[in-house]
Amino acid sequence: MDIRSPPWLNRLMRFSLLALCSCCALQVVALGQNLPPAFTAHPASIAAFVGEAVTLSVTVEGSAPAALQWQKDSSPIPGAVNPTFTLAAAQLTDTALYNVVATNSFGTTTSFSGLVLVSKRPQSIAFVPTVTTTAAGSGLTLAATASSSLPVTLTLVSGSATLNGPTLVGLGGSVVVRAAQAGNDFYAAADPVDRTFSFLVGVLSPFITSPPLDQTVTAGAAIRLQAAAIGTPAPAYQWQKNGTDLAGATNPALIFGSTTLADTGRYTVTATNLAGTASAAATLTVRSAPVIDTSPASRTVSAGESVTFTVAVTAVPAPTYQWRKNGAVILGATRNTFTLASALTTDAGRFDVVATNTLGSTTSAAATLTVTSRDFSGTYFGQFAGNPGNFALFVRADRTAVFLGHVPGRQTALVALDLRVDLSGGFSLALPTLAATPQAITLRGTVNDETSSVTGSITELGVTLSGPRAARTGVALDHAGYYQLGSIGSATGRAFGLIAADGQALVLTSGTGAPDSARGTVTTAGRLLATTTGQAALDLAFASGGVAGTLRPTSGATATLLGVAETRAGTERLINLSVRSVTAPAAPLIAGFVISGPTAKQVLIRAAGPALAPAPFNVPNALADPVLQLLRGSTTIGQNDDWGVPAANTAALTAATTRAGAFPFRAGSADAALLTTLASGAYTATIGGGTGVILAEVYEVLDATEVPGARRLINVSARGLVTPAAPFIAGFVISGIGPQRVLLRGVGPTLGAAPFGVAGVLPNPELTLFRGSTAIKTNDDWFRDPDATAIRDTAVRVGAFALGANSADAAILIFLEPGAYTVQV
C-alpha cells in the first residue's frame, strides 16, 4: 500500500505550520504601530457536488488598507481580488487549495488555505422484480430504476434466455441479469445489481376439475364448499366471498361448522401457480325464519304530529309484515315501517309487527305510542285592535286552517285559505290583501289550546288580534264549518263564511267594490240575518251542506248568493256539454273537451243528426248520416258511424244514455255514439258525413262508487259554421248544490290571426247566454266588458289561449247556479 501523502496534503500541512508561526509573530508585533495585514477569518474547507455554487471568504485587518489576491494551489486567480470568491458551478477541476495574499504598505500576509473538494453525486439502482420464478418460454417484463433518474442498462449475464429491452424470455434454468448505470458529468457510476430468475420446464396452468356447487341450507346447518384443481407446479388456493379474500381460506374445501344468515353470498375459489390462474364460483343461500334485529321504539308525540314506527328483520326468504295495534290487525300496514301522518289521541296504544316467511313467524316487542292532547281545532272569533274590524279563524283537526278578516277603516280584507298551525300553536303566512290596491302582508299568531284563545298581529296594517274559541256544540252544529259562495250572475262576486257550532258567524264579501263583512248568529232553523259593516242586509239559509240567500245593499241591485260547505265543495260539475252547428264536407264540426282527475273517466259521446229531424226537435236540414271520430292529439282512438253497430254495444250505450239523462236514439237510426273510458287530458271529436245540422254531445257517466266531482269534464270547445239562419249553439248542464263559475268565449277574429290562420272567420261574433228562453247576459266585444280584466286573468289560469287585446271576439265570465244553459254565437 502506498502510504505517501498526496502533494496537496503536504502543502496543507506546510501552510498550516507557517500560519502557526505567523500567528505567534503577530502576537508579538501587535503591540507596535504600522502593522501589516492580519486575517481574522480564513478560507473554510468545503465539499461540493459538480454544478453546485461554492463561496469562500476572508476577513482582513491592518494599519492600512490591504490589496487581496486569491490563489488556487498557490497560483493567482485572475480578477479574484475581493474578500469573497465564488465558483458559480463547481467542476471536478476546481478541486484545490485556496488562500488569499493580503498586502499593505507595511507588509504582506498569507491566509491559511481552504480545501474545495468537488465530486460527482452518488447514485443507486433499484432492481426488485415482482416475479423471479416462472415457466420456461414465458416472458418477464423487468423494471430497474436509478435514483438519479438516468436510464438503466439491462444486460444478460448468464443463462439460456433472450433479453429484448425490458423483456426477458427464459428457455429453462437459472438466468442472471445485471442492471447498471454508468453515470454522467454530474453522477458517479452506480454499483451494478444482479438478479437471478428461474424458468421452469414442464409447467401447466391450473384447471378446475371439480368446481364448487350452489347450495341452499337452513341456518345452523354445517356445509362444505369443495373444489379441486390440477396444474404443475401444484396450484395454491384462495377463497373469496363477494369478491373479498377470506383470511386463511387457502384449502380446496371451505367448511362452515354452523351457517348463519351472514354467510349468504357468492363464493369464488381461485387456483394459482406459475403458469396462471383458474377460478370457479358457487352461491351459498342460508334460509332462516324471521329474526327481529330491531323492534319498533316507543314514542311520545303531540296530537297532530307525524310518527313512524320501524322494524328491522333478517329473514330468507324475505318476510311479509303485518302491523297491529293492541293486538288487532291494521289494514294495509304491511311494510317494515308504519306511519301515522297526523296522530290523534285515539291513536295511542301498543304497536307491534308480525314478520312471516315460509319458515316461520316472529313478533316484535311492542312499542307504546303516547299522544299528548294538544287540540287546536275549533272556530275562533274576535276583533282587531289598532284599526277596528272583525276576524274569524277556523282550525281543523289536522291543524290546517282558514282565516277571514275585515278592516273597514283600511277598506281591506284578508282571506287565508291555506293557513297551517304548527305543533306549538303558531302560524305565519304571507299573502296579499283583498282591496282595490292589494298589499303584501304577513299574518302571524298563536293558538293557545289551554286558554282556548288566539292572539296575533299584522304589522303592515298596524293591528293586533285576539279572540276566544267558540263552543263546540250548539244550535248550529249541523251547519258549522267553512263555506264558499258565489254571487249568481256576476263574474267576481264572492263570499266566504265561517260558522261555529254555537251559531256565531262571520261572512266576508268581495267583488268589484270594497270588501264588506257581517257578524251574526245562525238560528236553530239555519237562518242568518245580519247587517254588514257597509249597511247591506244579508239573509242566508243553511241546509244539507249548502247555503243560499241574498245580499241587499242600501242602493243598487240585490245579489243572489249561493254556496256550499267545504265538505261539499267540488261536487258541482259540468255533466253534459253539447254543441249544435252546421257541418259540411269542407268544414266538419270539430269539438274538443278536457277531462280532469286522477283516474280515467267513462264518457258518452254522441253525434245526433237524424234524431233532430222529428218531433220534439223538428230541426230542418238535419245531417242524415253523421260519422263520429274521437282523437287524442293526432291519434284516432275511437270512431262510429251508426250507433247500433256493432249490435253488441247497443245495450251498454242504451244504459249509459239513461244514466246520463240524455234523450234516446231510435233503434237502427244513423246517429253516431261512442261509450269509452278516458284518462285525464284533452280530446277532439270530429263529426262529418255531409252537409246539415248536427248536435255533438259529451256526457259524464258516473260509476256506482264514484264521488261526484272527483273526475270532471272541465272544458268544451267547438269550431263550426255560423250563418244568420244557423247560429252556433252550445249547451251545458251544471249539477250539484253550489254555484259554478264558467268562462264562455265566442272566438272569430283571433282565429284568423297567427298562429291559427283560419280562413273565413266570423269577423264580429256576439255571444248570448240563455237559461231556457231567458237571456242572462250578452257580450259583443270582450274587452268592453266591465269584467274584462277578470276574463283575461281567468283565461290564463285555465290554460286558454289569449284573445287579442282589442279584438272583436266575445267572452262572458259568470257565476251560475245548477241547471241547464244554452249559449248562442
Side-chain angles (χ1 to χ4, degrees), residues 99 125 400 521:
N99 64 354
I125 294 176
T400 58
T521 301

Side-chain angles (χ1 to χ4, degrees), residues 96-118:
L97 289 168
Y98 292 81
N99 64 354
V100 177
V101 176
T103 302
N104 68 8
S105 56
F106 302 106
T108 298
T109 304
T110 301
S111 71
F112 295 163
S113 294
L115 173 63
V116 174
L117 181 60
V118 182

Side-chain angles (χ1 to χ4, degrees), residues 643-644 650 654 664-671:
W643 77 277
T650 304
T654 301
F665 285 163
R666 179 176 53 82
S669 75
D671 302 288

Side-chain angles (χ1 to χ4, degrees), residues 67 76 139 207 303 358 600 695 801:
F207 176 74
T358 56
L695 176 67
F801 61 84

